[in-house]
């Protein structure tokens, strides 16, 4: 279920164009109806991707508590004063209470084990996705409502929708025969992305056919024989989160091409094997990954689209430094 606002959301604009709301009513990603007496002034985060959105819409100063994972992330530089409450699966309640957050924003798939104790401490838990192409704009708008910065949130949501809609509109005209088959592999060798996985959603929207889509859901370990027998037109392998240099991307590429029997696969023979950085396949920058994949699958259809330029636009407007590194290799022209 997508995070949405239900009837009762009212507000007015302050002199800095931020919404001030007496009461905010929301439905979170798990279907929980949330009522906040006002915009959240102090926010604790378990959701990694919500952190980036809050930074992008200019609300980083509201973040007062973060998990161990966020504490060692690249996002830490934007929120140096946030308290580290420890394990993201079971926050240290004392540290969390010390930060006095109004809300704790969690991953929809990973509600803390001590959620009942957190709620009993009068901290409102809001579960969000913040990572999928089909809900990212809605989630951004929801965070805008929670913080009162609906104007900047709308700008970022519209940025996402602009490029998602470009891809949707162009690939919707393709017939099935013109869609290349794709083997999409996660950071672990032979970990294939099946139906409903993040990779499957990107491939489908980008105008490709995921070879694992009709065989299993989410991720599953396969073997070389399985890939070879399906002879994909394109191979896309996800690099680990710190894969930012050309050397690291090329190392992954060389390993794939050297696998026994892979030299017979059409994708390898025709040099349509790519690596993609994990930072652009989930979260607010998934739209960048979508553009790269769409252009790799249909270079003529997206000849006028420059994913690197869109990534720079995102960095300039929303997240300084987001365009540093190598995100797709080899670069699609």
């Amino acid at each position: 279920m997508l995070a949405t606002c239900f009837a009762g959301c009212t507000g007015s604009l302050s002199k800095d164009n931020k919404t001030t709301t007496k009461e905010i009513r929301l439905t979170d990603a798990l279907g929980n109806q949330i009522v906040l007496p006002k915009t959240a002034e102090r926010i604790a985060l378990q959701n990694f991707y919500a952190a980036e959105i809050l930074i992008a819409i200019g609300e980083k100063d509201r973040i007062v508590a973060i998990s161990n994972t966020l504490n060692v992330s690249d996002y830490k530089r934007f929120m140096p004063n946030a308290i580290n409450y420890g394990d993201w699966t079971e926050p240290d309640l004392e540290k969390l209470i010390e930060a006095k957050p109004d809300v704790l924003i969690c991953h929809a798939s990973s509600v803390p084990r001590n959620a009942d104790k957190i709620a009993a401490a009068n901290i409102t838990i809001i579960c969000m996705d913040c990572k999928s192409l089909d809900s990212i704009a809605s989630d951004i708008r929801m965070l805008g409502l929670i913080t009162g910065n609906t104007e900047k949130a709308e700008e970022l949501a519209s940025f996402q929708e602009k490029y998602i809609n470009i891809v949707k509109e162009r690939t919707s005209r393709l017939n099935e025969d013109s869609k290349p088959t794709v083997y999409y592999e996660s950071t672990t060798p032979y970990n294939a992305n099946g139906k409903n996985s993040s990779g499957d959603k990107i491939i489908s929207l980008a105008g490709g056919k995921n070879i694992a889509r009709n065989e299993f859901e989410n991720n599953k370990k396969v073997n070389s024989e399985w890939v070879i027998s399906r002879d994909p037109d394109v191979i896309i392998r996800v690099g680990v989160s710190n894969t930012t240099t050309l050397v690291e991307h090329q190392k992954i590429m060389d390993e794939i091409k050297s696998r026994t029997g892979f030299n017979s696969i059409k994708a390898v023979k025709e040099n349509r094997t790519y690596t993609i950085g994990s930072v652009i396949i989930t979260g607010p920058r998934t739209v960048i990954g979508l553009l790269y994949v769409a252009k790799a699958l249909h270079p003529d259809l997206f000849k006028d689209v420059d994913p690197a330029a869109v990534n720079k636009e995102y960095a300039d407007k929303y997240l300084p430094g987001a365009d540093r590194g190598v995100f797709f290799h080899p670069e699609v022209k």
Side-chain angles (χ1 to χ4, degrees), residues 56 66 213:
I66 55 178
R213 167 172 259 270

Side-chain angles (χ1 to χ4, degrees), residues 53 56-57 140 152-161 314 318:
I53 294 172
I57 65 172
I140 291 168
K152 190 68 174 179
E154 182 59 37
E155 180 188 321
L156 178 59
S158 296
F159 172 90
Q160 301 279 335
E161 289 173 332
Y314 181 84
Y318 307 110

Side-chain angles (χ1 to χ4, degrees), residues 85 92-101 117-118 121 123:
Y85 64 68
D92 184 317
L93 194 57
E94 285 189 14
K95 289 183 179 179
L96 197 56
I97 291 172
E98 179 188 345
K100 300 178 181 178
K117 294 179 181 178
I118 294 170
I123 299 170

Side-chain angles (χ1 to χ4, degrees), residues 8-191:
C9 295
T10 59
S12 59
L13 289 178
S14 62
K15 63 182 179 181
D16 60 353
N17 290 324
K18 294 186 179 182
T19 304
T20 56
T21 308
K22 290 182 179 179
E23 186 177 86
I24 300 170
R25 293 171 176 258
L26 310 164
T27 302
D28 76 2
L30 297 183
N32 301 313
Q33 293 190 347
I34 310 294
V35 179
L36 300 176
K38 61 182 180 62
T39 54
E41 299 298 327
R42 301 175 67 82
I43 297 174
L45 288 176
Q46 180 227 42
N47 189 312
F48 196 89
Y49 306 108
E52 180 165 331
I53 294 172
L54 289 171
I55 294 164
I57 65 172
E59 296 301 333
K60 59 184 177 61
D61 292 340
R62 294 178 190 258
I63 302 169
V64 296
I66 55 178
S67 67
N68 278 337
T69 305
L70 274 165
N71 193 58
V72 296
S73 72
D74 290 338
Y75 300 130
K76 176 62 178 175
R77 63 191 169 101
F78 294 102
M79 40 193 179
N81 299 320
I83 290 174
N84 177 9
Y85 64 68
D87 189 354
W88 64 277
T89 63
E90 189 169 357
D92 184 317
L93 194 57
E94 285 189 14
K95 289 183 179 179
L96 197 56
I97 291 172
E98 179 188 345
K100 300 178 181 178
D102 300 311
V103 300
L104 171 63
I105 298 175
C106 301
H107 290 284
S109 58
S110 307
V111 179
R113 289 194 287 264
N114 57 346
D116 55 340
K117 294 179 181 178
I118 294 170
N122 292 319
I123 299 170
T124 301
I125 296 175
I126 302 176
C127 298
M128 301 183 69
D129 180 55
C130 297
K131 64 179 181 178
S132 302
L133 286 167
D134 50 4
S135 64
I136 189 66
S138 175
D139 289 337
I140 291 168
R141 290 186 174 102
M142 185 176 184
L143 284 168
L145 192 63
I146 290 169
T147 60
N149 196 348
T150 54
E151 184 177 13
K152 190 68 174 179
E154 182 59 37
E155 180 188 321
L156 178 59
S158 296
F159 172 90
Q160 301 279 335
E161 289 173 332
K162 172 186 175 181
Y163 292 109
I164 291 172
N165 289 336
I166 286 173
V167 176
K168 278 184 177 179
E169 193 276 329
R170 296 185 188 185
T171 59
S172 66
R173 306 179 221 154
L174 297 170
N175 59 49
E176 287 302 301
D177 291 340
S178 62
K179 295 180 179 180
T181 56
V182 183
Y183 169 54
Y184 189 97
E185 184 177 278
S186 297
T187 55
T188 304
Y190 295 109
N191 188 28

Side-chain angles (χ1 to χ4, degrees), residues 202-221:
I202 291 173
I203 292 166
S204 297
L205 193 55
K209 292 185 286 191
N210 178 13
I211 63 172
R213 167 172 259 270
N214 297 322
E215 302 202 24
F216 49 83
E217 294 209 8
N218 298 314
N219 297 351
K220 183 179 178 180
K221 194 82 168 179

